């Protein structure tokens, strides 16, 4: 069967044959000079018109999509997905042909219903005529040849607005006009033209475009007839936008812009496609990385980074156990050899699986009887040192005794979790010699965690992460003795777990593509592109989720599923609206989360006006009850579901105020304000989870009304976990964590200034991350976090000015912690807006997660010391040991797992004519290049440097297989 490529090749050969025939005739008539002239002209033509020739040649050969079922290979911007990318998730293979008229409004809820077609098919109204096919060719041409360049200026306006300039250049040989009704869809994380006019469309007279906010971070530019000047070949035009707030990182710009037209297939704007962000102009001046002229932050130079790290010296005396044990004593620094010929491991009924694993790992025989010496034994017993600890912490406690005097190794715990941690510590002590003998130090360890909750939150609602990468993340967490995995499974932008009985949640809401009706998928957000087959789309099947649960259970990590509501619920709302169209009339309202007659107008923090579940309709609670029961069922016989996390954060102001159902409910319940509706919702959810024997989890704002916690006694459930996050020092909400603890809630410390891993490591525009809570979160900053002296953690303001506890606790005085037992742990959070790939996820998580693990397992002695120079010295000493442990030992464990952690950048200074280098984690290898990266050599040894010499520097990973971003060091003399 002849393929599209075969036809293209055949047609090109035909063209070449005709050209050769013409040349032969010309040669016979005019001679050599004519032949030479033809060749020169042909070469010039091909040089300047190669793209157009190829484009036209291939377009002629493609039959109508309905006939051929293939897309244009020259402009086909849909990439194939490898099996590895699709494993463990559903991948959409659909894209809508239906596109919006840019001059109309978004259809209100309940009016969508137009048919949406699959990829490589066409609209039902497609007519087999040349004009329709020609219009698709125009869209293909624009996608292929319209080049976008993005630049911005944070200081273009007074106040917190910045300018964006989009340079649009026609790199093809055909004019681009407005007659084909095309539109450019693009993503910005800030609100464009914050004037109030944007909702209905706003004409940019200087460029002839109409700008409109679709929803979320999706905007559209449409040329206006009579105002838009045709963009001629080789010409450029500039579109200027006024945007709210600021942009401090290149990664604030979202990729995968696209062009579409009503009834046609959308096409990527190829210049914006992919993760390179090559269309974004370099952040090479303060007006691009500073919020405004008062912002003190600048990217670190090599010299600044050297000064930050210079007090952290290389130390080869590395503690073998991580996190730091409660108590650890060496016996005369002696070591003991364990050989398989004479040593055995004693079998244990309770710990038989661990015995088998150790037997295989250490190559030891198992036997039932305990010999006099040379044995390893696992014992179940209560531990005296842990008797005053909470039952949860006791279950994770263990002792480890390695004695060369008795030639024995004894591991003792009262529970499986404690034994698991003890075995991890034992294996950390093991050294294999060249002869494969096992060497261990003689040591005594008593260990238990500081907190019973030591967790990581992962947002897969916004951008999906494949199952295999979640399993790898769990493995890495286990190395650090973390025990809670908070899985954020729903958001405005996506629903990620199959729920039996509600297929629309994943059929519609798990993927994003260009579908203005949102009956097939949600509209693109966060740089996801116009088709539903990109890696950010997908969901976990029930079997996928059970596999995650199984793996977590084996590692003693509890999975806490979160389904965010009533805010951040757009994906679920749209899915249930679509369900209501698909089922018989008597079932249409059963699971609806929205009210058709609710005319409330609001806009959420992420710029949605339809993302709040209605708490006043009964179907909302039918949905929640079904959801809770199905998720609980998935956990059965694997890992009992203990806590249902309902989110509860950032409900937009103004939601429900014009809801007829809510007006009726408020009258019946004698509520004096719509703000009471949130508490009503929480109490209804409490009743549902309590009936299922579960505890409740929520973000702090889901359990408070205007920062006043709901009365705990009125919420009839055993435990409610409050996740405290809103501690931006200048905003005055840091005390909410202590308020909730004092009111009887179990508080998980998740303060954004130190524990939100969607923020950058450094104040550098080349570092991924948002900056709304703080300008950066380094591993060192997190290491110094003191959860029980919260206000003392205040360090710098959003703009880089020093800030202290005395400033944030002056008027009124900060609330003090009266119920310290209710601070049950710590959690880091990886929010997903700008994290579109697993590599992004691992980069943002590690090595910072090591610091979270250390602080949540081990309370440092300096935490209770009063501020002063002595405390600073003790923190530095502790950090030096920790940083050396990461650089020389722990990162290598991640390398073995295949985790691509962030490699810290090198620092450098010229001291007396010699190059001095360092990095945040001593022990990592730093290399240099003096020939612009052509060759690399060690930067250690203090090599001499010439005046005005430019040196490139980079840090290698612990296994030396990867390297950091390159740093430029300019020696000024």
């Amino acid at each position: 069967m002849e393929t599209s490529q075969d036809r293209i090749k055949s047609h090109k050969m035909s063209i070449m044959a005709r050209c050769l025939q013409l040349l032969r005739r010309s040669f016979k008539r005019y001679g050599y000079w004519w032949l030479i002239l033809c060749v020169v002209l042909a070469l010039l033509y091909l040089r300047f018109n190669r793209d157009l020739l190829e484009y036209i040649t291939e377009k002629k050969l493609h039959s109508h999509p309905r006939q051929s079922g293939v897309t244009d290979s020259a402009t086909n911007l849909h990439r194939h997905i490898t099996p590895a990318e699709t494993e463990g998730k559903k991948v959409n293979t659909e894209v809508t042909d239906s596109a919006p008229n840019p001059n109309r409004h978004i259809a209100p809820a309940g009016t969508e219903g137009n048919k949406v077609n699959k990829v490589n098919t066409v609209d039902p109204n497609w007519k087999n005529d040349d004009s329709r096919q020609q219009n698709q060719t125009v869209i293909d041409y624009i996608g292929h040849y319209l080049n976008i360049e993005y630049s911005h200026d944070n200081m273009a306006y007074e106040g917190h607005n910045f300018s964006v300039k989009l340079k649009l250049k026609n790199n093809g040989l055909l004019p681009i006009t407005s007659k084909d009704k095309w539109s450019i869809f693009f993503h910005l994380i800030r609100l464009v033209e914050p004037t109030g006019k944007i909702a209905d469309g706003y004409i940019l007279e200087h460029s002839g475009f109409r700008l409109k906010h679709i929803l979320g971070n999706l905007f559209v530019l449409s040329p206006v007839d009579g105002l838009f000047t045709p963009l001629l070949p080789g010409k450029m035009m500039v579109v200027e936008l006024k945007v709210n707030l600021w942009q401090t990182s290149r990664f604030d710009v979202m990729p995968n812009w696209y062009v579409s037209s009503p009834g046609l297939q959308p096409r990527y704007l190829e210049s914006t496609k992919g993760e390179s962000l090559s269309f974004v102009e370099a952040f090479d001046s303060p007006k691009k990385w500073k919020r405004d002229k008062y912002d003190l932050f600048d990217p670190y130079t090599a010299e600044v980074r050297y000064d930050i790290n210079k007090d952290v010296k290389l130390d080869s005396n590395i503690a073998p156990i991580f996190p730091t044990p409660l108590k650890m004593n060496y016996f005369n620094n002696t070591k003991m050899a364990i050989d398989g010929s004479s040593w055995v491991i004693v079998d244990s009924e309770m710990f038989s699986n661990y015995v088998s694993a150790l037997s295989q790992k250490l190559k030891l025989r198992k036997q039932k009887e305990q010999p006099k010496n040379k044995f390893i034994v696992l014992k179940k017993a209560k531990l005296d040192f842990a008797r005053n600890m909470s039952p949860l912490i006791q279950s994770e406690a263990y002792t480890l005794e390695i004695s060369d005097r008795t030639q024995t190794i004894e591991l003792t715990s009262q529970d499986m979790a404690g034994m698991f941690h003890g075995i991890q510590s034992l294996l950390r002590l093991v050294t294999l010699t060249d002869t494969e003998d096992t060497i261990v130090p003689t040591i005594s360890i008593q260990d238990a965690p500081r907190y019973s909750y030591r967790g990581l939150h992962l947002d897969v609602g916004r951008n999906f992460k494949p199952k295999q990468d979640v399993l790898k993340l769990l493995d890495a967490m286990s190395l650090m003795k973390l025990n809670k995995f908070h899985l954020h499974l729903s958001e405005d932008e996506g629903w990620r777990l199959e729920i039996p009985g509600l297929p629309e949640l994943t059929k519609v809401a798990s993927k994003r593509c260009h579908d203005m009706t949102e009956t097939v998928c949600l509209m693109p957000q966060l740089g996801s592109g116009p088709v539903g087959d990109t890696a950010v789309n997908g969901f976990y099947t029930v079997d996928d989720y059970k596999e995650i649960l199984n793996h977590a259970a084996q590692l003693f990590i509890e999975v806490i599923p979160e389904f965010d509501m009533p805010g951040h619920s757009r994906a679920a709302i749209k899915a249930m609206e679509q369900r209501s169209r698909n089922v018989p009339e008597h079932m249409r309202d059963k699971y609806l989360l929205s009210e058709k007659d609710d005319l409330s107008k609001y806009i959420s923090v992420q710029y949605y006006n339809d993302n709040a579940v209605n708490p006043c309709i009964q179907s909302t609670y039918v949905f929640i009850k079904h959801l809770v029961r199905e998720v609980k069922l998935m956990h059965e016989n694997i890992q009992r579901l203990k806590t249902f996390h309902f989110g509860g954060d950032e409900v937009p102001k103004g939601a429900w105020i014009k809801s007829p159902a809510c007006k009726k409910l408020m009258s019946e319940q004698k509520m004096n304000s719509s703000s009471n509706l949130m508490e009503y919702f929480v109490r209804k959810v409490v009743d549902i989870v309590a009936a299922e024997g579960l505890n409740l989890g929520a973000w702090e704002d889901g359990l408070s009304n205007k920062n006043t916690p709901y009365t705990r006694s009125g919420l009839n459930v055993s435990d409610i976990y409050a996740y405290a996050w809103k501690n931006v020092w200048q905003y005055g909400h840091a005390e909410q964590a202590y308020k909730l603890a004092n009111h009887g809630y179990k508080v998980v410390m998740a303060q954004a200034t130190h524990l939100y891993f969607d923020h950058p490591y450094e104040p550098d525009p080349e570092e991924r991350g948002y900056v709304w809570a703080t300008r950066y979160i380094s591993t060192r900053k997190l290491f110094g976090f003191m959860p029980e002296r919260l206000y003392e953690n205040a360090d710098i303001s959003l703009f880089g000015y020093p800030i202290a506890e005395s400033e944030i606790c002056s008027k009124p005085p900060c609330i003090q912690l009266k119920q310290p037992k209710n601070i049950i742990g710590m959690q880091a959070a990886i929010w997903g807006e700008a994290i579109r790939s697993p590599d992004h996820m691992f980069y943002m998580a590690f090595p910072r997660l090591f610091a979270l693990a250390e602080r949540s397992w081990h309370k440092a002695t300096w935490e209770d010391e009063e501020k002063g120079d002595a405390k600073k010295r003790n923190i530095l000493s502790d950090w030096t040991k920790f940083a050396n442990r990461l650089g020389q030992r722990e990162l290598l464990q991640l390398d073995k797992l295949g985790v691509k952690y962030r490699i810290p950048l090198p620092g450098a200074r010229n001291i007396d004519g010699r190059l001095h280098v360092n990095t945040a984690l001593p022990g990592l290898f730093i290399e240099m290049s003096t020939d612009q990266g052509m060759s690399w050599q060690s930067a250690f040894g203090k090599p001499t440097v010439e005046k005005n010499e430019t040196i490139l520097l980079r840090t290698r990973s612990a296994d030396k297989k990867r390297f950091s971003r390159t740093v430029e060091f300019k020696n000024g003399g």
Side-chain angles (χ1 to χ4, degrees), residues 471-644:
L471 299 180
K472 185 189 293 186
L473 182 62
L474 289 169
D475 287 336
M477 290 173 61
S478 176
L479 290 175
M480 306 172 191
K481 298 186 174 80
L482 296 177
N483 69 341
K484 307 291 182 184
F485 183 47
H486 177 175
L487 189 54
H488 190 88
L489 288 162
S490 73
E491 259 298 339
D492 293 322
E493 296 83 5
W495 183 281
R496 305 303 179 190
L497 180 61
E498 176 188 9
I499 302 298
L502 299 176
E504 293 81 8
L505 287 170
T506 46
K507 184 178 180 181
V508 175
S510 71
K511 60 196 174 198
R512 303 196 288 268
C513 66
H514 184 74
D515 171 21
M516 290 292 286
T517 69
E518 295 192 300
T519 56
V520 168
C521 59
L522 304 178
M523 281 292 283
Q525 295 290 331
L526 304 170
S528 60
V531 295
D533 63 357
T534 53
V536 301
N537 297 290
F539 65 92
Y540 307 114
T541 66
V542 171
D543 287 342
D544 291 334
Y545 187 66
K546 287 182 176 180
E547 187 175 344
I548 291 170
L549 292 177
N550 262 310
H551 196 68
Q554 292 171 13
L555 302 173
F556 292 91
I557 297 173
E558 178 189 351
V559 177
I560 302 171
E562 178 190 347
F563 301 91
D564 209 346
M565 59 184 80
H568 290 282
S569 295
R570 189 176 189 277
I573 291 169
K574 292 301 172 185
M576 292 302 95
E577 288 176 355
Q578 179 60 15
R579 183 187 184 280
S580 72
R581 303 182 193 105
N582 295 339
V583 298
E585 185 174 356
H586 70 280
M587 297 178 62
R588 288 179 181 173
D589 295 341
K590 183 175 182 180
Y591 295 108
L592 273 178
L593 301 172
S594 57
E595 182 186 15
K596 183 179 179 180
D597 297 327
D598 184 358
L599 301 179
S600 303
K601 292 184 178 180
Y602 58 86
I603 188 164
S604 72
V605 176
Q606 285 82 21
Y607 312 127
Y608 293 99
N609 59 10
D610 55 356
N611 78 335
V613 166
N614 193 309
C616 306
I617 55 178
Q618 184 58 32
S619 54
T620 288
Y621 305 104
V622 174
F623 174 89
I624 296 172
K625 185 178 293 185
H626 180 88
L627 172 64
V628 171
R629 287 177 175 173
E630 289 296 332
V631 175
K632 181 182 177 184
L633 190 62
M634 294 180 207
H635 280 249
E636 277 188 9
N637 302 319
I638 302 173
Q639 182 187 80
R640 183 175 65 86
L641 180 63
K642 299 176 183 177
T643 302
F644 180 83

Side-chain angles (χ1 to χ4, degrees), residues 617-850:
I617 55 178
Q618 184 58 32
S619 54
T620 288
Y621 305 104
V622 174
F623 174 89
I624 296 172
K625 185 178 293 185
H626 180 88
L627 172 64
V628 171
R629 287 177 175 173
E630 289 296 332
V631 175
K632 181 182 177 184
L633 190 62
M634 294 180 207
H635 280 249
E636 277 188 9
N637 302 319
I638 302 173
Q639 182 187 80
R640 183 175 65 86
L641 180 63
K642 299 176 183 177
T643 302
F644 180 83
H645 198 301
F646 78 95
D649 60 313
E650 296 183 327
V651 178
K653 186 178 180 180
W656 318 314
I657 60 175
K658 292 189 177 181
S659 160
C662 287
K663 289 180 180 179
K664 180 181 177 183
L665 179 68
M666 289 174 64
S667 175
E668 293 172 350
Q669 297 288 324
K670 295 182 172 52
M671 297 180 189
N672 55 18
S673 171
S674 60
S675 63
N676 298 126
L677 292 171
M678 181 64 187
E679 184 174 358
Y680 174 85
F681 175 81
V682 173
R683 293 185 183 281
K684 293 282 283 186
V685 175
V686 164
D687 291 342
I688 292 171
V689 301
E692 298 295 331
L694 305 177
N695 294 319
L696 189 72
W699 298 101
E700 64 174 59
D701 35 340
L703 299 169
S704 306
N705 185 354
K706 299 178 181 178
N707 295 324
T708 299
Y710 302 142
T711 303
R712 178 64 183 86
S713 59
L715 300 171
N716 297 317
V717 66
S718 178
D719 285 318
I720 299 181
Y721 299 97
Y723 293 70
W725 63 281
K726 295 174 68 173
N727 75 311
V728 179
W729 304 117
Q730 300 94 301
Y731 296 170
H733 301 314
E735 64 185 14
Q736 196 68 8
Y738 289 174
K739 273 187 183 180
L740 287 160
N742 292 343
H743 273 72
Y745 292 90
K746 303 298 183 184
V747 175
V748 177
M749 304 296 268
Q751 280 72 20
T753 58
H754 288 72
L755 296 166
Y756 266 34
F757 287 2
D758 58 332
H759 285 60
Y761 282 88
E762 291 187 5
D764 191 312
E766 290 302 311
E767 289 286 343
R768 186 180 303 274
Y770 288 174
V771 296
W772 64 265
T774 184
R775 189 60 182 84
Y776 70 94
I777 301 174
S778 65
T779 307
R780 185 172 184 173
K781 177 179 177 178
L782 173 49
F783 179 83
F785 182 71
M786 296 168 284
E788 290 156 29
R789 298 173 75 100
L790 181 59
Y791 312 123
E792 197 174 320
N793 294 295
D795 47 6
I796 50 177
S797 72
L798 290 169
F799 289 76
Y801 296 90
I803 191 169
E805 179 179 354
S806 58
E807 295 177 62
I808 63 175
C809 291
S810 53
K811 294 180 181 179
C814 289
I815 291 175
Q816 299 303 309
L817 180 62
K818 298 176 182 177
Q819 297 289 336
K821 67 178 181 180
N822 285 333
I823 304 295
I824 63 163
M826 296 171 60
Q827 175 175 280
I830 305 175
W831 293 102
E833 289 95 330
I835 301 175
R836 288 179 292 277
S837 76
D839 283 351
H840 297 165
M841 173 185 72
F842 289 125
Y843 182 98
M844 301 302 280
F846 302 101
R848 289 188 286 203
L849 197 60
F850 284 105

